[in-house]
Amino acid sequence: MQLGVEPPALTSRQPHDIAPELHDAADRPAVIRAILAGIGDYLPEHIVTNDELSRTVATNDQWIRERTGIRQRHIAQPHETCAFMATRAAQAALANAGATAGDVDAIILATATPDQAFPATAVRVQAALGARGFAFDVSAACSGFIYALSVADAFIRTGQARGVLVIGSEVYSRILNWQDRGTCVLFGDGAGAVFLRRGEGNGTGADTGLLSTHLHSDGAYGDILYVDGATGRHDKPAHLVMNGKEVFRHAVTHMSETIDEALAANGFDHSAIDWLIPHQANMRIVDAIGKRLHLSAEHVVVTLDQHANTSAASIPLALSVAQADGRLQPGQLLLLAALGGGLTWGSAIIRL
Ligand code: UT7
């Protein structure tokens, strides 16, 4: 990954700070690791501020900022389809990795807003990139990127693929009820992508790459956040429906739980984390989780003020922003966590 040339703004926990027990790996057989080789994004050009929204629905900038932290969102124009944005983000991730479409064995695209029921948006991206291999979509709402990462990790570790594009791309503007102030102010459009490359490690927490993923779902809560119909570009309007308070409660609880299990599985204390990169739904959720982890705000990547909630795209977008401004540096430990409709939730730990 071609990381920023600026020195890190913060003191990062470099590999030499890793607990001694993580270094006793000399005699361990090599294990395959999925290495985060490149990151990219695409955001629609059109930006809608809170004030602009307040002209069409009974809301105001103060309520949105104080209850969510959101200041603006990017909204896709007709040509900015799920596939279009995903392709742009994927091209940026490949360029960032110094890779080409020829290095791609698989494309896994997380979205809740595909352009069509089928073919999968990932296959459209494959054609646009001129890539070979195989491509498919993953549907896990706002947790989709973590789910897709987990699947990509399995393909790489079992030797089924050496280079995998993992993309989150969403056009929630097409499934929002623009008369419902309880939901339409919360979401935005955009895409983020990472390119994962096969690498090797010792099977310890000192390894570079994806160290773990943990996934969960509970269909008993399927009715607190859902879309009431089909979502493709040519379908009749379908709308997102949410019981915000209930989802909020589950988000804090389950994201905290899955963060704890991720840290425990790797033998890490919360202090090992350089960057918490949570799903970007509500600043109050992010703050509550950061507080539980005893992480100061300087160790949490926040983009929801600029992007609002972009569902499966929010984590790769946040990764891309943090890379572009030089916050991400080699050796750092990233903790990713999300919760979304399903309910689905999960976490991932990555060392850069
Ligand atoms: O990405 C998937 C995961 N999604 C989430 O994690 C979202 C989780 N939920 C949330 O972020 C929050 O629950 C919301 C931001 C959706 C809502 O915040 P809240 O503090 O739970 O507000 P509320 O729904 O209880 O509404 C409080 C008041 C209500 O008025 P009354 O009944 O007290 O008079 C709402 O009608 O705020 C009113 N309200 C608004 N006022 C101005 C709701 N939406 C708006 C609005 N502008 N946009």
Side-chain angles (χ1 to χ4, degrees):
M1 180 165 40
Q2 287 151 18
L3 292 160
V5 287
E6 293 293 315
L10 299 159
T11 310
S12 68
R13 297 156 177 83
Q14 297 296 324
H16 53 75
D17 296 328
I18 296 163
E21 62 272 21
L22 297 180
H23 285 298
D24 66 356
D27 300 327
R28 288 173 186 257
V31 299
I32 298 170
R33 292 286 195 194
I35 308 294
L36 182 49
I39 310 173
D41 70 53
Y42 179 84
L43 285 161
E45 279 174 29
H46 183 54
I47 292 174
V48 176
T49 64
N50 294 344
D51 280 335
E52 285 173 277
L53 269 186
S54 70
R55 286 179 214 134
T56 54
V57 67
T59 189
N60 57 78
D61 175 58
Q62 188 183 357
W63 189 96
I64 302 172
R65 270 192 294 107
E66 288 180 1
R67 305 308 294 168
T68 73
I70 295 165
R71 291 173 181 272
Q72 62 172 44
R73 70 284 296 140
H74 293 249
I75 298 293
Q77 298 300 295
H79 72 283
E80 291 171 316
T81 63
C82 186
F84 175 91
M85 296 195 299
T87 302
R88 291 296 185 90
Q91 286 166 333
L94 287 176
N96 182 235
T100 66
D103 299 313
V104 176
D105 300 318
I107 302 171
I108 307 176
L109 189 149
T111 187
T113 49
D115 297 323
Q116 295 165 286
F118 72 86
T121 307
V123 181
R124 299 291 193 194
V125 174
Q126 181 191 33
L129 293 176
R132 301 176 78 86
F134 59 97
F136 62 96
D137 290 357
V138 161
S139 172
C142 299
S143 311
F145 183 74
I146 305 255
Y147 270 62
L149 262 188
S150 187
V151 176
D153 185 39
F155 280 139
I156 288 174
R157 285 192 292 108
T158 56
Q160 215 170 330
R162 298 181 69 89
V164 183
L165 271 170
V166 180
I167 309 169
S169 183
E170 301 279 20
V171 272
Y172 266 52
S173 59
R174 301 209 173 107
I175 58 163
L176 293 173
N177 174 357
W178 289 98
Q179 307 307 312
D180 175 15
R181 69 177 183 175
T183 53
C184 76
V185 305
L186 304 176
F187 295 90
D189 301 332
V194 300
F195 183 61
L196 299 178
R197 202 183 255 141
R198 177 188 161 117
E200 283 190 356
N202 292 311
T204 73
D207 286 352
T208 300
L210 195 44
L211 300 184
S212 68
T213 58
H214 288 83
L215 307 181
H216 300 275
S217 64
D218 187 348
Y221 295 97
D223 289 335
I224 65 171
L225 177 52
Y226 64 97
V227 177
D228 63 0
T231 62
R233 279 175 86 195
H234 308 295
D235 292 321
K236 294 197 181 75
H239 290 142
L240 178 144
V241 182
M242 177 167 71
N243 178 337
K245 272 206 186 319
E246 272 290 288
V247 176
F248 188 107
R249 197 170 57 79
H250 286 288
V252 175
T253 305
H254 291 318
M255 283 168 71
S256 299
E257 285 168 359
T258 189
I259 283 170
D260 286 346
E261 71 180 335
L263 292 173
N266 290 282
F268 290 135
D269 184 67
H270 58 81
S271 60
I273 300 304
D274 290 294
W275 296 108
L276 171 65
I277 306 188
H279 170 49
Q280 309 280 319
N282 187 314
M283 199 58 216
R284 290 183 291 141
I285 297 174
V286 174
D287 282 343
I289 293 168
K291 208 167 158 190
R292 269 192 88 260
L293 277 172
H294 309 291
L295 275 184
S296 66
E298 291 76 33
H299 289 281
V300 184
V301 178
V302 174
T303 52
L304 63 86
D305 54 330
Q306 300 298 308
H307 303 166
N309 182 346
T310 56
S311 191
S314 89
I315 288 178
L317 271 168
L319 281 170
S320 190
V321 167
Q323 172 180 250
D325 65 22
R327 275 180 285 178
L328 301 191
Q329 293 294 323
Q332 289 181 337
L333 202 63
L334 312 183
L335 175 51
L336 282 44
L339 175 134
L343 291 176
T344 57
W345 65 98
S347 57
I349 292 192
I350 303 171
R351 188 178 296 288
L352 295 177

